[in-house]
Structures are given as C-alpha cells and as structure tokens.
Amino acid sequence: MNLTISGHHLDVTPALHNYVTAKMDRITRHFDQVVDVRVLLTVEKQKEKQRRQRAECNINVKGNTMFAECAHADLYAAVDELFDKLDRQVVRHKDRLQDHHHEPSKRLM
C-alpha cells in the first residue's frame, strides 16, 4: 500500500502524519486490498473561521476508486470525519464484492 500525505498551505508535522497513519489502519483492518492512498490536507484562506481546515482523500482499491472530503474548524476533527466517511465506503464496497448467494438446502429423506 502506498500512502502519500501532502499539505497545501500547511506543513505536515510528524504528529499529524502519525495521526493520519493511525486512522488509515482502521481502513486496512476492514479491507486489505488497498493499493494506493493519497491524502491532501489544506488550510483555506477564508475570512470566516468556520470550516477553514479541509481534508480530502483518494483511495484506489482493487476494482474501484473512492473519494471523500471533509471541512471543519479543527484539522484533526476534519481527518476524523474523513476517515469515518471512507470507512463506510470501504465496508460497502467489501459487501458488494462478497458472494451473498447461498446454496439451496438439500432435503434428507
């Protein structure tokens, strides 16, 4: 799995890098066929302080590409919401891949 964490108008500190990596472990626990992950952390220059910190992520898994983005006043809260969204997407993708067909039961006489 390739993990790329970059910042726009922001320096990615080692603490922030470790936090994103720890959150990424939650995704790989549900689905281990993750090929590539790109996380972009942004501080937007807005006059209002609400939803100024943004986090977005692209995940390439076998057969699909997933994208999510989230904005919040706190960057760590934005990362939390981002990985909550991605976790739901990955679990839904895994359910679609699994075979849900059951064999008919055999009658014993």
Side-chain angles (χ1 to χ4, degrees), residues 1-63:
M1 174 182 76
N2 296 327
L3 176 63
T4 306
I5 302 171
S6 59
H8 191 262
H9 299 292
L10 167 77
D11 291 330
V12 179
T13 62
L16 192 56
H17 187 276
N18 291 338
Y19 188 74
V20 171
T21 305
K23 289 292 183 175
M24 190 61 214
D25 288 340
R26 191 169 114 190
I27 302 291
T28 56
R29 183 174 13 140
H30 288 286
F31 191 68
D32 59 349
Q33 296 178 354
V34 177
V35 177
D36 185 35
V37 179
R38 290 186 306 272
V39 179
L40 178 64
L41 306 172
T42 308
V43 176
E44 295 180 350
K45 296 182 178 180
Q46 296 176 349
K47 292 181 181 179
E48 59 188 52
K49 297 290 181 186
Q50 295 288 25
R51 301 198 178 268
R52 189 174 165 203
Q53 315 282 335
R54 230 175 78 186
E56 57 188 55
C57 182
N58 284 328
I59 294 182
N60 292 327
V61 296
K62 185 178 177 183

